Amino acid sequence: MPKNSKVVKRELDDEVIESVKDLLSNEDSADDAFKKSELVVDVPEEKDTDVVERSEVKDERPAWNSKLQYILAQVGFSVGLGNVWRFPYLCQKNGGGAYLLPYLILLLVIGIPLFFLELSVGQRIRRGSIGVWNYISPQLGGIGFASCVVCFFVALYYNVIIGWSLFYFSQSFQQPLPWDQCPLVKNASHTFVEPECEKSSATTYYWYREALNISSSISESGGLNWKMTICLLAAWVVVCLAMIKGIQSSGKIMYFSSLFPYVVLICFLIRALLLNGSVDGIRHMFTPELEIMLEPKVWREAAAQVFFALGLGFGGVIAFSSYNKRDNNCHFDAVLVSFINFFTSILATLVVFAVLGFKANVINEKCIAENSEMIIKLVKMGNISQDIIPHHINFSAITAEDYDLVYDIIQKVKEEEFPELHLNACQIEDELNKAVQGTGLAFIAFTEAMTHFPASPFWSVMFFLMLVNLGLGSMFGTIEGIITPVVDTFKVRKEILTVICCLLAFCIGLIFVQRSGNYFVTMFDDYSATLPLLIVVILENIAVSFVYGIDKFMEDLKDMLGFAPNRYYYYMWKYISPLMLLSLLIASIVNMGLSPPGYNAWMEDKASEKFLSYPTWGMVICISLMVLAVLPIPVVFIIRRCNLIDDSSGNLASVTYKRGRVLKEPINLEGDDAASLIHGKISSEMSSPNFGKNIYRKQSGSPTLDTAPNGRYGIGYLMADMPDMPESDL
């Protein structure tokens, strides 16, 4: 080192000492903790350190207790009520076993790649949906806010379904079950069966009249249904208590809520297979109709089911994965959870059709008995000749095959007069072809089947407890998709935010427990999530593939996982998935435009459903739901594109004031590769120091209190420009 450089070094050291004295002397006298802080100069490594923290510092973000707990949480979120009451319906409607092929293809093309993408960005950036998309592209930060809005809309009505299940669960501890038979009505002269129930069925009547006490239209509020209001309150209390500590509390509950449904489904499958007619239901289910598979509608519905079954776009997947270790193999998780979801749908479909096969067999036997009595009466009256009846037929113990034989003979002999006889064919396939989904499957068809089970109250308790657990697993992920990004972004206490969120949702959710509440559930289910979620996931794909850069993202994955993902994902994310998603969005918009907006209303006098169009104010709500869900995306884009709000956080090193420890923050310096990090033991906002010797200067344009890219508060300082100063001398 030259002689004169030693003089320069001493002068510099004196100035640095003076600058530190000035720094401390100008602080507020009350800021003792800051005065006790020490000065640390840290030179960043050349590696990308955007989310890497110092190894000796323990990360303050909560983490899963085990890998199993995390997998159960993701399975619980993705496996929900749709697997039980939507997938079987789509199978039945779209060609039986042939539907499984397009579903599996689309799972590989859309489902797994996009699920892997969400797991990756959450684990890499370790933030909720708002923080993740702000990090990737601030102008697309509205994607995270849109996800939160959609999650809130879905949570509003999804918990109502859990409330319905809680009501049926509470009513199942009776023998016989309250929906087993139609109620009797007494008047002054005689007793008779309730007309509304007699025209429909006992389970249908119980659902619409006893449980919902439904009104005849959406315009007729009818006041609150207090039984369902209490059940909704109970559902929100359960969700609040489970989520109040975040994954530390909900993670433990996942062991029961995620595994119990599988125990119930397996028990139901074993029990149903021992019942008469169950094999007929399964055979009907898996009989492929290959010609239907070529219809575009089948592929559209399969794509939509794949999309929603995995919970894409909600933010719950990102939130759960953000609590993972950075080197977790999220590719394995994506494939595992996706196929668990698929096989769960297959298992649920087997159970549903085995039970519906048994129910169809019971109804078919009843039909055969009634029509056999009619044939005996017609023979006695002379309308049908005894000679045409085969001698081996015994009407007192007639089988389905014998009845089919007699029916065909009578139809051929009485060809012209046959319609006047009012005989039914009593085919078990006719009953199985009655497509039922959603609440109609769970609360009417399946419930009716269980009334014929031996020990029916036990199976009813198990079934509705399973529905409650399936719903809660999805609710935990949905609420986590709201809580995690808001806590990460706005630094509010998780406990307070959880209570406020649940309380607000319960108050708004009261519209769903009016007598007309079921119609609002249908409205929200049809319009609040479908299109907004498609738009959200399309923008997620574009943000990663084209804004952030697919090549850079693949390098990040290689760095994070320790191996390079298959190039298959590269082409899926860059080309195939965006095109498929855009096609699905266009098809959904066209289908929504062609389908008249309306709902099925229950007509009390006819004891049947009737399709009604939404009134004008109802159409306004439908449009508002879709607009409000996607509105954050253009609003945030315009605000940040036009710099309407100065939210520049800078790209300097920033310090976390957390328990006296410093965490390495992203550093992007121009000029000297040095930054001074000041760390103390307080996290409160500190007054900006006045510098005596101008050795330090604060980054221009950054506020006093800044938000670091990892979401924590900190203050970054930069060495002043010192030309011709060797780094070694510093």
Side-chain angles (χ1 to χ4, degrees):
M1 180 182 293
K3 260 185 182 180
N4 58 349
S5 66
K6 293 182 179 180
V7 178
V8 173
K9 184 176 184 300
R10 280 198 300 272
E11 291 175 357
L12 174 62
D13 291 341
D14 293 337
E15 288 187 18
V16 170
I17 293 169
E18 287 298 317
S19 69
V20 174
K21 288 180 179 178
D22 291 340
L23 178 74
L24 296 177
S25 62
N26 282 287
E27 283 300 310
D28 192 350
S29 59
D31 200 353
D32 296 330
F34 184 86
K35 292 179 181 179
K36 293 177 183 177
S37 64
E38 53 183 318
L39 182 66
V40 177
V41 178
D42 190 12
V43 180
E45 298 177 2
E46 292 182 1
K47 274 179 145 185
D48 180 18
T49 58
D50 50 1
V51 290
V52 182
E53 298 166 345
R54 299 174 90 173
S55 59
E56 67 269 22
V57 178
K58 185 180 178 181
D59 187 13
E60 298 295 336
R61 189 169 184 80
W64 297 103
N65 292 334
S66 66
K67 181 66 176 282
L68 176 62
Q69 190 181 81
Y70 164 68
I71 293 296
L72 289 177
Q74 290 287 15
V75 169
F77 175 53
S78 66
V79 175
L81 297 172
N83 295 75
V84 175
W85 67 31
R86 177 71 177 166
F87 187 87
Y89 162 76
L90 291 174
C91 270
Q92 180 186 21
K93 176 184 173 187
N94 295 318
Y99 172 76
L100 299 179
L101 181 59
Y103 184 89
L104 189 57
I105 292 172
L106 291 167
L107 181 66
L108 297 173
V109 173
I110 293 181
I112 294 178
L114 294 176
F115 194 62
F116 180 31
L117 185 144
E118 289 202 353
L119 289 179
S120 302
V121 295
Q123 181 175 308
R124 168 72 177 169
I125 302 171
R126 307 201 73 197
R127 285 292 171 269
S129 55
I130 295 176
V132 160
W133 303 113
N134 273 337
Y135 175 87
I136 288 178
S137 173
Q139 293 179 3
L140 293 177
I143 296 174
F145 290 98
S147 292
C148 290
V149 173
V150 173
C151 279
F152 187 72
F153 285 161
V154 171
L156 287 176
Y157 74 85
Y158 204 86
N159 223 24
V160 175
I161 300 173
I162 297 177
W164 294 342
S165 302
L166 283 174
F167 173 76
Y168 268 79
F169 172 74
S170 66
Q171 299 298 308
S172 297
F173 296 91
Q174 305 177 43
Q175 177 67 32
L177 292 168
W179 49 83
D180 186 31
Q181 294 180 346
C182 286
L184 299 176
V185 180
K186 296 181 180 179
N187 59 16
S189 57
H190 62 284
T191 302
F192 57 93
V193 177
E194 171 65 47
E196 186 181 2
C197 183
E198 191 174 20
K199 293 176 184 176
S200 54
S201 69
T203 50
T204 305
Y205 172 81
Y206 191 88
W207 166 242
Y208 284 115
R209 190 55 51 212
E210 297 293 336
L212 300 181
N213 193 20
I214 200 165
S215 61
S216 57
S217 73
I218 196 171
S219 302
E220 184 184 336
S221 167
L224 288 177
N225 181 342
W226 289 106
K227 292 181 290 189
M228 289 305 173
T229 303
I230 293 171
C231 291
L232 178 63
L233 177 61
W236 276 114
V237 168
V238 171
V239 171
C240 185
L241 292 177
M243 297 298 300
I244 199 163
K245 293 293 184 182
I247 63 169
Q248 304 301 329
S249 54
S250 65
K252 296 178 177 61
I253 299 174
M254 291 296 179
Y255 287 108
F256 179 75
S257 64
S258 296
L259 294 176
F260 180 74
Y262 290 96
V263 175
V264 175
L265 285 174
I266 293 171
C267 290
F268 259 100
L269 181 61
I270 295 172
R271 184 68 189 92
L273 289 175
L274 298 176
L275 297 171
N276 189 24
S278 60
V279 177
D280 295 326
I282 294 175
R283 188 189 303 116
H284 177 82
M285 158 64 216
F286 285 104
T287 301
E289 299 176 35
L290 298 177
E291 65 280 0
I292 296 180
M293 191 180 70
L294 301 177
E295 297 179 6
K297 182 182 178 183
V298 174
W299 290 82
R300 178 183 64 80
E301 292 189 342
Q305 179 63 16
V306 167
F307 183 85
F308 293 113
L310 293 174
L312 299 173
F314 281 96
V317 174
I318 294 175
F320 280 151
S321 66
S322 71
Y323 298 112
N324 268 333
K325 294 179 181 178
R326 188 173 177 268
D327 59 351
N328 174 63
N329 188 350
C330 55
H331 174 256
F332 172 79
D333 300 341
V335 176
L336 177 65
V337 173
S338 298
F339 277 101
I340 287 176
N341 187 291
F342 175 64
F343 288 116
T344 303
S345 298
I346 300 294
L347 175 62
T349 302
L350 284 171
V351 171
V352 166
F353 275 89
V355 172
L356 291 182
F358 164 69
K359 169 178 171 279
N361 188 74
V362 171
I363 293 174
N364 197 57
E365 288 177 353
K366 184 179 178 181
C367 174
I368 290 173
E370 291 175 350
N371 282 268
S372 295
E373 291 179 3
M374 289 180 62
I375 292 173
I376 293 172
K377 289 180 181 178
L378 291 170
V379 169
K380 290 180 179 179
M381 293 170 58
N383 293 342
I384 297 177
S385 173
Q386 178 69 47
D387 298 334
I388 66 173
I389 306 297
H391 298 293
H392 70 279
I393 298 296
N394 180 10
F395 282 106
S396 60
I398 190 171
T399 62
E401 292 77 10
D402 288 344
Y403 177 79
D404 290 340
L405 176 62
V406 172
Y407 181 85
D408 290 339
I409 292 172
I410 296 174
Q411 189 176 27
K412 290 176 182 178
V413 173
K414 298 285 186 179
E415 185 175 352
E416 296 180 359
E417 302 173 7
F418 185 78
E420 299 176 2
L421 301 178
H422 303 293
L423 294 176
N424 292 322
C426 296
Q427 295 290 325
I428 196 169
E429 287 78 12
D430 295 338
E431 190 65 32
L432 288 170
N433 281 328
K434 294 178 181 177
V436 185
Q437 67 164 325
T439 54
L441 174 64
F443 299 108
I444 298 177
F446 214 89
T447 306
E448 182 179 348
M450 286 187 296
T451 59
H452 302 291
F453 277 30
S456 55
F458 168 78
W459 294 104
S460 183
V461 167
M462 294 284 283
F463 176 72
F464 289 110
L465 187 57
M466 179 191 74
L467 290 188
V468 169
N469 280 277
L470 284 172
L472 286 176
S474 298
M475 274 299 295
F476 293 158
T478 304
I479 297 298
E480 198 68 57
I482 303 170
I483 301 297
T484 296
V486 173
V487 169
D488 288 344
T489 305
F490 300 105
K491 307 302 170 190
V492 296
R493 283 191 61 185
K494 179 166 284 189
E495 295 87 349
I496 296 174
L497 178 63
T498 302
V499 172
I500 292 174
C501 180
C502 292
L503 186 61
L504 178 63
F506 168 72
C507 293
I508 298 175
L510 292 176
I511 65 172
F512 301 108
V513 289
Q514 307 173 92
R515 290 183 59 197
S516 59
N518 186 47
Y519 307 137
F520 285 97
V521 170
T522 303
M523 176 191 289
F524 271 67
D525 190 38
D526 290 342
Y527 293 96
S528 68
T530 306
L531 292 183
L533 280 180
L534 278 171
I535 294 171
V536 164
V537 177
I538 289 171
L539 291 176
E540 286 180 359
N541 198 338
I542 292 172
V544 170
S545 299
F546 301 102
V547 179
Y548 185 77
I550 189 65
D551 295 305
K552 184 179 177 184
F553 185 63
M554 294 295 283
E555 285 297 319
D556 288 346
L557 289 178
K558 183 178 179 181
D559 176 60
M560 183 172 68
L561 301 175
F563 63 89
N566 194 292
R567 293 290 289 180
Y568 168 81
Y569 293 103
Y570 178 92
Y571 296 110
M572 288 296 107
W573 288 329
K574 191 167 185 178
Y575 304 110
I576 307 301
S577 294
L579 291 176
M580 294 288 289
L581 288 171
L582 283 172
S583 302
L584 180 58
L585 177 64
I586 294 170
S588 299
I589 292 173
V590 171
N591 182 64
M592 190 173 288
L594 295 177
S595 303
Y599 59 100
N600 289 318
W602 179 255
M603 300 288 110
E604 183 177 358
D605 53 341
K606 298 179 181 178
S608 62
E609 289 184 335
K610 180 182 179 182
F611 184 82
L612 297 178
S613 298
Y614 287 116
T616 304
W617 60 266
M619 288 299 303
V620 171
I621 293 177
C622 294
I623 296 171
S624 300
L625 288 173
M626 293 186 288
V627 171
L628 286 174
V630 298
L631 190 61
I633 298 174
V635 168
V636 172
F637 180 84
I638 292 171
I639 287 175
R640 290 179 175 168
R641 182 73 174 174
C642 302
N643 292 323
L644 300 180
I645 296 178
D646 183 18
D647 62 347
S648 59
S649 58
N651 18 1
L652 295 176
S654 149
V655 178
T656 300
Y657 288 91
K658 201 99 167 179
R659 299 184 185 176
R661 295 186 175 187
V662 60
L663 302 178
K664 182 182 290 185
E665 299 293 339
I667 300 178
N668 183 14
L669 302 178
E670 294 180 3
D672 295 332
D673 290 328
S676 64
L677 297 180
I678 301 174
H679 68 92
K681 298 182 180 180
I682 57 172
S683 59
S684 58
E685 183 176 352
M686 300 182 296
S687 58
S688 300
N690 297 320
F691 304 107
K693 297 292 183 179
N694 266 342
I695 292 296
Y696 297 99
R697 62 177 173 82
K698 193 173 180 294
Q699 182 194 8
S700 60
S702 66
T704 302
L705 186 64
D706 201 0
T707 305
N710 75 345
R712 298 184 177 95
Y713 292 123
I715 298 177
Y717 292 94
L718 188 63
M719 295 294 290
D721 294 333
M722 295 166 55
D724 302 322
M725 183 60 63
E727 185 177 338
S728 59
D729 289 352
L730 293 178

